[in-house]
């Protein structure tokens, strides 16, 4: 079986989407002939077990990229074409081009069609994109892949395409060491793209409410982001009187992020919206308890007792941090070990890759 993926970027700065492709390629590429087409960038993630192709990204992609893309598509002649991401024209246009050429098409929005994402800059950016290309790209696809049941439900409410398959994102567990000690390092970690939807302000404000309890702690904010927005958050930390507690360390590479997870006593993702949130199982795989929100599909943190899934906002984040502070080291260890077991049971890259192959086989068999 031959599969061709399109992804706008595999650059280190692409965040969870680039990490998804890197994680998936190794094990999916061992089960099928995998090709990935993208655009060149300065700091690309390495992809194993696939053949990588590049096309130019130009100002008018519907005029300037179609010829390159179609030549590649017809050279490879994949059994399934799988496109990723929304709001950049080529992601949707490639789905239309492949569909019109008679290929089976799978589309993964990666949470970019969640209500929060659509509402942001709706009139100036999202509505024009919906009318020009985005809705049609989803409608013509043979199957929509969502990474969580909550995302599937929101896609169904959107009403553009009801052919949806749920397969979670994954982690390559064999390369992740679990921490050896749960003795407090007095460190809280946020590691993700620094963007308004991630709720970093809630974490800063919650820490400010508990400033005395967090004496001696460091709250590390790691990840890429818009410089102006990061300055806003630094100003917020100063205004809240916690600039001495909160540190911004910028992006961290794959070689460093695992030590960040292991060194942290707690990982916090107080986000408005995530279709999956790959950083959550990464932290759990390292044995680090997690606080996140109902904006993610991680309610099972509460059921599995490996963290806290809260409402969205400053006070819910504060309440969860108080529960963390009340835990003993032994309780944190129990939570950490349960988190690792959860990832082992549901979110390994090998198990997820097999689900992808089943999804592709289902499409091609239905075509016979």
């Amino acid at each position: 079986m031959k599969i061709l993926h399109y992804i706008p970027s595999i650059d280190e700065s692409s965040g969870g989407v680039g990490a998804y492709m890197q994680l998936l390629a190794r094990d999916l590429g061992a089960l099928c002939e995998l090709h990935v087409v993208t655009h060149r960038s300065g700091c690309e993630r390495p992809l194993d077990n696939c053949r990588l192709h590049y096309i130019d990204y130009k100002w008018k992609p519907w005029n300037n990229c179609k010829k390159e893309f179609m030549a590649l598509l017809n050279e490879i002649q994949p059994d399934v074409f799988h496109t990723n991401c929304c709001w950049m024209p080529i992601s949707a246009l490639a789905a239309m081009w492949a569909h019109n050429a008679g290929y089976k098409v799978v589309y993964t929005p990666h949470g970019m069609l969640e209500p929060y994402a659509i509402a942001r800059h709706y009139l100036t950016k999202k509505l024009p994109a919906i009318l020009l290309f985005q809705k049609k790209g989803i409608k013509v696809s043979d199957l929509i892949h969502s990474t969580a049941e909550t995302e599937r439900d929101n896609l169904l409410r959107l009403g553009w395409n009801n052919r949806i398959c749920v397969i979670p994102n994954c982690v390559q567990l064999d390369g992740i060491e679990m921490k050896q000690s749960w003795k407090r390092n007095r460190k809280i970690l946020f590691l993700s793209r620094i963007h308004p939807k991630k709720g970093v302000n809630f974490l800063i404000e919650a820490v400010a409410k508990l400033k005395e309890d967090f004496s001696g702690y460091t709250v590390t904010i790691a990840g890429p982001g818009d410089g102006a927005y990061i300055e806003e958050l630094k100003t917020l930390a100063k205004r809240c009187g916690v600039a001495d507690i909160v540190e911004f360390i910028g992006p961290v590479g794959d070689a460093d992020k695992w030590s960040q997870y292991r060194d942290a006593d707690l990982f916090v993702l107080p986000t408005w919206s995530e279709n999956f949130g790959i950083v959550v199982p990464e932290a759990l795989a390292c044995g680090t308890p997690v606080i996140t929100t109902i904006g993610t599909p991680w309610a099972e943190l509460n059921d599995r007792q490996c963290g806290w899934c809260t409402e969205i906002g400053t006070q819910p984040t504060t309440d969860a941090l108080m529960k963390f502070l009340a835990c003993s080291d032994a309780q944190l260890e129990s939570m950490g070990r349960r988190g690792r077991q959860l990832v082992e049971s549901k979110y390994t890259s090998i198990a997820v890759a097999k689900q992808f192959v089943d999804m592709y086989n289902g499409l091609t068999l239905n075509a016979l």
Side-chain angles (χ1 to χ4, degrees):
M1 176 182 290
K2 286 193 286 188
I3 306 298
L4 173 63
H5 269 259
Y6 167 75
I7 188 165
S9 175
I10 54 171
D11 196 84
E12 291 282 356
S13 65
S14 63
V17 176
Y20 144 88
M21 195 70 254
Q22 183 182 39
L23 292 168
L24 181 63
R26 186 194 71 168
D27 292 300
L28 180 59
L31 299 174
C32 66
E33 181 182 327
L34 179 62
H35 297 258
V36 176
V37 57
T38 187
H39 311 288
R40 292 191 183 277
S41 62
C43 189
E44 293 181 350
R45 298 173 179 272
L47 301 187
D48 297 329
N49 288 344
C50 70
R51 184 177 172 190
L52 199 56
H53 308 268
Y54 297 96
I55 58 176
D56 288 339
Y57 186 87
K58 300 178 181 178
W59 183 245
K60 293 182 178 179
W62 46 89
N63 290 331
N64 294 314
C65 289
K66 182 176 181 179
K67 185 176 179 180
E68 291 179 69
F69 174 79
M70 291 304 300
L72 182 64
L73 184 70
N74 292 323
E75 174 191 339
I76 297 169
Q77 294 189 8
D79 296 288
V80 177
F81 170 65
H82 190 149
T83 191
N84 295 273
C85 302
C86 297
W87 311 123
M88 293 180 66
I90 300 180
S91 295
L93 291 168
M96 298 180 221
W97 297 335
H99 169 78
N100 291 339
Y103 291 93
K104 289 293 182 181
V105 177
V106 175
Y107 202 132
T108 302
H110 292 282
M112 297 177 188
L113 294 178
E114 291 289 274
Y116 176 89
I118 292 177
R120 187 170 173 78
H121 306 301
Y122 177 74
L123 291 177
T124 57
K125 294 182 179 180
K126 302 303 172 55
L127 181 59
I130 289 169
L131 296 175
L132 287 170
F133 55 83
Q134 191 58 68
K135 184 176 181 178
K136 187 172 182 181
I138 294 292
K139 288 186 71 173
V140 303
S141 298
D142 296 281
L143 193 65
I144 307 302
H145 160 232
S146 73
T147 58
E149 292 181 0
T150 51
E151 184 186 18
R152 177 202 61 197
D153 294 343
N154 285 329
L155 288 168
L156 288 172
R157 279 191 283 270
L158 194 59
W160 296 353
N161 192 325
N162 63 4
R163 301 180 297 275
I164 302 172
C165 177
V166 179
I167 302 176
N169 281 347
C170 61
V171 294
Q172 290 177 356
L173 196 61
D174 54 324
I176 303 175
E177 296 180 13
M178 187 166 66
K179 63 171 67 184
Q180 299 300 308
S181 171
W182 282 263
K183 184 178 180 180
R184 289 180 191 257
N185 291 322
R186 305 180 79 80
K187 176 180 174 180
I188 308 298
L189 176 66
F190 168 95
L191 193 160
S192 189
R193 184 168 58 100
I194 300 174
H195 184 275
K197 86 163 188 174
K198 300 291 183 175
V200 180
N201 57 303
F202 299 141
L203 175 58
I204 293 171
E205 291 162 356
V207 169
K209 286 191 169 190
L210 301 170
K211 184 177 178 180
E212 292 184 6
D213 298 289
F214 278 107
S215 177
Y217 273 81
T218 299
V219 179
T220 299
I221 310 297
D226 176 73
Y229 180 61
I230 291 173
E231 287 303 315
E232 285 182 28
L233 293 173
K234 289 180 179 179
T235 299
L236 174 64
K238 290 178 183 177
R239 189 165 65 246
C240 292
V242 291
D244 58 331
I245 296 175
V246 179
E247 64 171 4
F248 292 81
I249 65 171
V252 295
D254 287 343
D256 298 326
K257 72 176 179 179
W258 303 113
S259 60
Q260 291 284 345
Y261 285 130
R262 285 191 292 270
D263 291 345
D265 304 319
L266 178 72
F267 179 78
V268 185
L269 181 69
T271 183
W272 282 97
S273 176
E274 301 287 331
N275 66 307
F276 184 73
I278 189 65
V279 290
V280 172
E282 287 181 345
L284 294 174
C286 293
T288 301
V290 171
I291 291 174
T292 191
T293 73
I294 59 171
T296 75
W298 287 98
E300 62 188 328
L301 293 181
N302 298 328
D303 300 333
R304 297 295 190 101
Q305 298 181 21
C306 51
W308 298 270
C309 186
T310 74
E311 297 292 328
I312 301 166
T314 299
Q315 190 56 51
T317 305
T318 305
D319 295 341
L321 287 172
M322 290 175 65
K323 292 176 182 176
F324 156 75
L325 289 167
C327 288
S328 66
D329 292 354
Q331 288 173 318
L332 293 178
E333 179 175 354
S334 295
M335 294 177 73
R337 292 190 182 279
R338 287 192 291 267
R340 174 77 178 205
Q341 291 167 1
L342 171 60
V343 176
E344 289 174 344
S345 67
K346 293 182 65 174
Y347 300 109
T348 64
S349 55
I350 295 173
V352 168
K354 290 177 179 177
Q355 292 180 65
F356 270 78
V357 171
D358 289 342
M359 175 180 70
Y360 298 141
N361 277 330
L363 269 184
T364 56
L365 288 173
N366 289 337
L368 299 177

